[in-house]
């Protein structure tokens, strides 16, 4: 009989275990991991550097980075947020640094530093780590001492007074908790890049610029096919990266996260509208071009009058049917209107998606209505806790998914400790 079993040897699982073991040094705790290795997602995150958290220390601003979970995480972030995460690692000798975009990494620039910290803490605190230990069943049983969990694993059965599930997007575990009466929101991909074949971006991979992007709603017989629950337009702004297969970068990844459900309904076939110069709208840009026309003598293609990458300017000038030899005095108002439209309202057809690096994130999981966010305990089943991506929470890229794991792990640990305290 264990005091606590934690299913899932990832970020959330270790964080939970460490906090429980520190509060209850005598407790018998084990982490069960189905794979050969623990912390595999930590290893590959942030390109092997581990994007630990984000330097957003205001809970209400922090929660705005979660397409699913924004409302629910606000209270938890008031209890435990990015600053607490920094304190946790720094008190264990792992210094973090803030990059220009707010992402935080270990100063070593190596995810191994984070892994070593977790493994040495687990060892110091006497936490058992069982690898190749796949959970096949969860049963609630009663004994003279009260209710406990029977956890069926590949090599037999284990028992625990308290159970924490920190298994991420694991369909087998979702099925087990569904069988126990919980609701699972079907998972769909989030954080993906857009596949776009288009002459305007075909020969310029690697070009990056700040842009506004909007998903154009699909219509059938004049009606919009699918909207998100707020009926809001899906639009965002940020750095946009042109790639060999289409578009990526923070602006696209944000859209893919906020639009995860709608874009899945669209079958990943939809149109986006891009404003490559967000400080302008079409008419304002036309006015600027008419002024340039009065003073500039060179060819339009050679005279980039806006702060956008040169190769993109050339492609958009050509897309507006302005020939390379046409000079500013020769260019017609119609052509300049077409160029202003290409720059501020260019429409691109998206055909499919590509996974963003190895950081695959899903939208979906345990219904948030069935979790008590004061302690991440199940509202339906006693002595059952959740941490990390197993619940229907996901974030945009930038260290926010890890912060959900740390916050959930910390509060679940507190909940477990409270339960154990009441039983003493």
């Amino acid at each position: 009989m264990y005091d606590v079993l934690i299913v899932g040897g990832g970020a959330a699982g270790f964080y939970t275990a460490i906090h429980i073991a520190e509060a209850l040094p005598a407790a018998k705790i084990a982490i069960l991991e189905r794979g050969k290795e623990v912390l595999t997602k930590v290893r590959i995150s942030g390109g092997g550097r581990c994007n630990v958290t984000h330097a957003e220390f205001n809970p209400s601003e922090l929660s705005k980075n979660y397409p699913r979970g924004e409302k629910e995480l606000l209270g938890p972030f008031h209890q435990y947020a990015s600053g607490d995460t920094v304190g946790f690692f720094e008190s264990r000798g792992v210094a973090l640094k803030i990059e220009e975009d707010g992402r935080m990494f270990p100063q070593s620039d190596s995810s191994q530093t984070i892994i070593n910290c977790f493994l040495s803490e687990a060892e110091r605190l006497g936490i058992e780590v069982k690898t190749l230990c796949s959970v096949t069943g969860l049963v609630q049983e009663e004994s003279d001492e009260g209710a406990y969990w029977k956890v069926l694993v590949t090599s037999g059965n284990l028992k625990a007074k308290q159970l924490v599930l920190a298994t991420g997007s694991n369909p087998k575990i979702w099925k087990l908790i569904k069988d126990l009466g919980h609701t699972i929101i079907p998972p769909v991909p989030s954080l993906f890049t857009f596949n776009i074949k288009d002459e305007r971006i075909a020969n310029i991979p690697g070009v990056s610029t700040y842009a506004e992007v909007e998903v154009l709603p699909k219509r059938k017989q004049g009606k919009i096919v699918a909207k998100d629950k707020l009926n809001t337009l899906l639009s965002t702004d940020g750095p946009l990266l042109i790639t060999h297969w289409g578009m990526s970068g923070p602006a696209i990844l944000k859209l893919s996260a906020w639009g995860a459900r709608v874009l899945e309904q669209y079958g990943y076939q939809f149109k986006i509208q891009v404003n490559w110069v967000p400080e302008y709208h079409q008419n304002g840009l036309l006015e600027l071009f008419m002024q340039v026309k009065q003073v500039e003598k060179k060819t339009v293609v050679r005279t980039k009058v806006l702060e956008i990458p040169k190769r993109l300017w050339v492609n958009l000038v050509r897309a507006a049917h302005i020939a390379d030899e046409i000079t500013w005095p020769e260019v017609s108002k119609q052509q300049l209107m077409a160029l202003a439209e290409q720059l501020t309202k260019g429409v691109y057809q998206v055909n499919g998606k590509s996974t963003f690096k190895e950081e695959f994130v899903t939208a979906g999981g345990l219904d948030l209505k069935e979790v008590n966010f004061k302690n991440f305990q199940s509202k339906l089943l006693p002595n059952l806790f959740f941490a990390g991506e197993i619940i229907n929470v996901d974030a945009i890229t930038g260290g926010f998914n890890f912060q959900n794991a740390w916050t959930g792990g910390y509060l679940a640990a507190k909940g477990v400790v409270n339960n154990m305290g009441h039983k003493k």
Side-chain angles (χ1 to χ4, degrees):
M1 175 71 79
Y2 284 87
D3 290 307
V4 190
L5 282 175
I6 292 158
V7 184
F14 269 83
Y15 212 72
T16 311
I18 289 165
H19 281 100
I20 296 168
E22 285 203 306
L24 301 171
K28 192 177 183 202
I29 303 166
I31 294 172
L32 314 181
E33 167 55 50
R34 64 178 172 166
K36 275 193 293 210
E37 279 183 42
V38 291
L39 301 164
T40 50
K41 209 165 177 183
V42 171
R43 186 180 303 286
I44 59 175
S45 99
R49 296 196 298 144
C50 189
N51 184 183
V52 176
T53 186
H54 201 93
E56 176 51 78
F57 302 107
N58 175 334
S60 52
E61 288 302 313
L62 181 60
S63 68
K64 286 178 186 165
N65 295 286
Y66 296 82
R68 280 141 296 269
E70 176 178 356
K71 186 169 94 267
E72 290 80 3
L73 288 175
L74 185 55
F77 285 154
H78 276 286
Q79 299 289 312
Y80 196 93
S82 313
D84 302 291
T85 301
V86 174
F88 171 89
F89 285 109
E90 296 206 327
S91 68
R92 288 159 179 80
V94 178
L96 303 181
K97 59 176 180 176
I98 303 173
E99 303 216 327
E100 265 181 42
D101 57 6
R103 291 183 304 161
M104 296 192 74
F105 293 89
Q107 277 187 354
S108 64
D109 272 332
S110 168
S111 56
Q112 195 59 47
T113 308
I114 303 298
I115 293 169
N116 292 347
C117 168
F118 283 152
L119 293 176
S120 65
E121 282 295 275
E123 192 175 344
R124 174 179 76 82
L125 294 162
I127 299 163
E128 284 181 53
V129 179
K130 297 174 179 285
T131 52
L132 294 171
C133 186
S134 198
V135 171
T136 57
L138 299 171
V139 186
Q140 271 199 309
E141 300 207 331
E142 288 283 341
S143 72
D144 298 341
E145 291 180 19
Y148 66 90
W149 284 97
K150 186 159 84 172
V151 180
L152 285 53
V153 295
T154 28
S155 53
N157 300 335
L158 302 169
K159 292 174 183 174
K161 294 170 190 164
Q162 308 286 324
L163 181 63
V164 182
L165 299 179
T167 45
S169 306
N170 181 334
K172 285 183 180 157
I173 301 296
W174 278 333
K175 182 171 185 324
L176 293 181
I177 54 175
K178 190 177 178 185
D179 292 345
L180 290 166
H182 269 294
T183 309
I184 303 299
I185 308 296
V188 297
S190 178
L191 287 192
F192 47 84
T193 62
F194 295 174
N195 297 350
I196 299 170
K197 282 201 167 21
D198 192 294
E199 283 298 307
R200 291 167 289 178
I201 59 169
N203 56 350
I204 54 169
V207 165
S208 177
T209 187
Y210 200 92
E212 269 175 7
V213 191
E214 184 182 308
V215 173
L216 298 177
K218 270 196 169 180
R219 295 173 190 275
K220 215 175 195 176
Q221 280 110 35
K223 288 189 180 155
I224 291 177
V225 173
K227 293 182 180 180
D228 67 356
K229 62 178 185 292
L230 303 170
N231 288 349
T232 48
L233 284 172
L234 280 173
S235 66
T236 186
D237 58 280
L240 187 155
L241 173 68
I242 294 167
T243 67
H244 288 288
W245 61 88
M247 293 182 191
S248 182
I252 297 296
L253 294 169
K254 264 194 278 185
L255 263 192
S256 77
W258 287 102
R261 294 252 158 232
V262 173
L263 301 183
E264 194 257 347
Q265 287 175 51
Y266 287 172
Y268 307 107
Q269 308 284 322
F270 55 94
K271 291 188 167 106
I272 56 171
Q273 182 173 292
V274 181
N275 183 350
W276 299 103
V277 280
E279 60 273 30
Y280 288 98
H281 52 74
Q282 190 176 350
N283 291 343
L285 202 48
L286 180 61
E287 278 176 34
L288 172 73
F289 289 161
M290 295 308 285
Q291 288 165 9
V292 175
K293 184 172 159 59
Q294 303 305 315
V295 293
E296 183 57 67
K297 301 286 182 269
K298 294 194 190 113
T299 61
V300 178
V301 82
R302 295 279 300 277
T303 323
K304 178 172 75 79
V305 295
L306 297 162
E307 282 297 309
I308 69 165
K310 180 86 172 111
R311 293 191 294 162
L312 179 61
W313 169 264
V314 170
N315 280 9
L316 296 179
V317 169
R318 289 171 180 164
H321 304 295
I322 299 171
D324 287 8
E325 62 276 9
I326 292 210
T327 62
W328 281 95
E330 295 165 339
V331 71
S332 72
K333 185 175 178 183
Q334 287 308 108
Q335 286 174 311
L336 290 177
M337 259 180 85
L339 178 56
E341 186 169 338
Q342 287 291 349
L343 282 155
T344 59
K345 288 184 170 178
V347 175
Y348 297 79
Q349 174 67 45
V350 177
N351 290 311
K353 60 177 174 45
S354 294
T355 304
F356 175 62
K357 299 188 177 167
E358 304 88 349
E359 295 173 45
F360 187 68
V361 171
T362 54
L366 177 64
D367 193 332
L368 302 181
K369 293 192 208 67
E370 298 171 0
V371 180
N372 175 351
F373 280 91
K374 288 191 170 65
N375 54 13
F376 284 73
Q377 187 165 207
S378 164
K379 285 183 180 176
L380 311 187
L381 301 159
N383 307 327
L384 175 63
F385 295 82
F386 307 100
E389 256 191 74
I390 185 170
I391 61 176
N392 182 25
V393 164
D394 62 284
I396 62 172
T397 182
F400 301 106
N401 281 302
F402 271 136
Q403 188 54 53
N404 168 48
W406 313 137
T407 296
Y410 173 80
L411 290 175
K414 268 184 82 168
V416 167
V417 169
N418 277 345
N419 278 5
M420 306 263 293
H422 297 321
K423 295 208 165 139
K424 280 181 185 170

